[in-house]
Amino acid sequence: MGSLVGMTLAESRQIQAYEGPAEEYAGITAEALLISGTKAAPYFTEINDRLAAVIPRAQTLRVPGSPHNGIAVAPPTLINPLTTFFTTPTSPATQR
């Protein structure tokens, strides 16, 4: 686990550098899928909800039974919605 300290510190610096109101992300125009697991810390869902409220084309996904590192274990409750998200074409009305 000690080898992860450097990565964790770098990640923490990035979080601090980008700390601010969700409205700072309102200019994102891409389709965005904001994912959190039901077993992860509640602040992940809170942050995703705040971002989804200001990013015009954002969707949220709560993955049942998934922890913070859900992508590492890749449960079907995560992979199936990801597959749909990445394979569904955007409609001409929403393309920019």
Side-chain angles (χ1 to χ4, degrees):
M1 293 295 290
S3 63
L4 297 176
V5 170
M7 180 179 70
T8 302
L9 291 173
E11 186 176 289
S12 295
R13 282 189 211 100
Q14 290 299 309
I15 291 168
Q16 187 176 27
Y18 290 96
E19 184 177 26
E23 290 75 19
E24 290 182 4
Y25 297 89
I28 295 174
T29 59
E31 298 273 342
L33 182 59
L34 307 169
I35 303 170
S36 61
T38 58
K39 289 186 177 180
Y43 65 84
F44 289 109
T45 299
E46 293 167 13
I47 291 168
N48 285 352
D49 289 344
R50 288 183 199 158
L51 289 171
V54 298
I55 298 172
R57 297 168 66 199
Q59 304 173 48
T60 59
L61 171 65
R62 295 261 301 151
V63 182
S66 182
H68 171 63
N69 66 336
I71 195 72
V73 294
T77 53
L78 172 59
I79 299 306
N80 294 341
L82 280 176
T83 301
T84 300
F85 180 80
F86 286 113
T87 59
T88 303
T90 57
S91 66
T94 60
Q95 288 181 345
R96 294 180 190 237

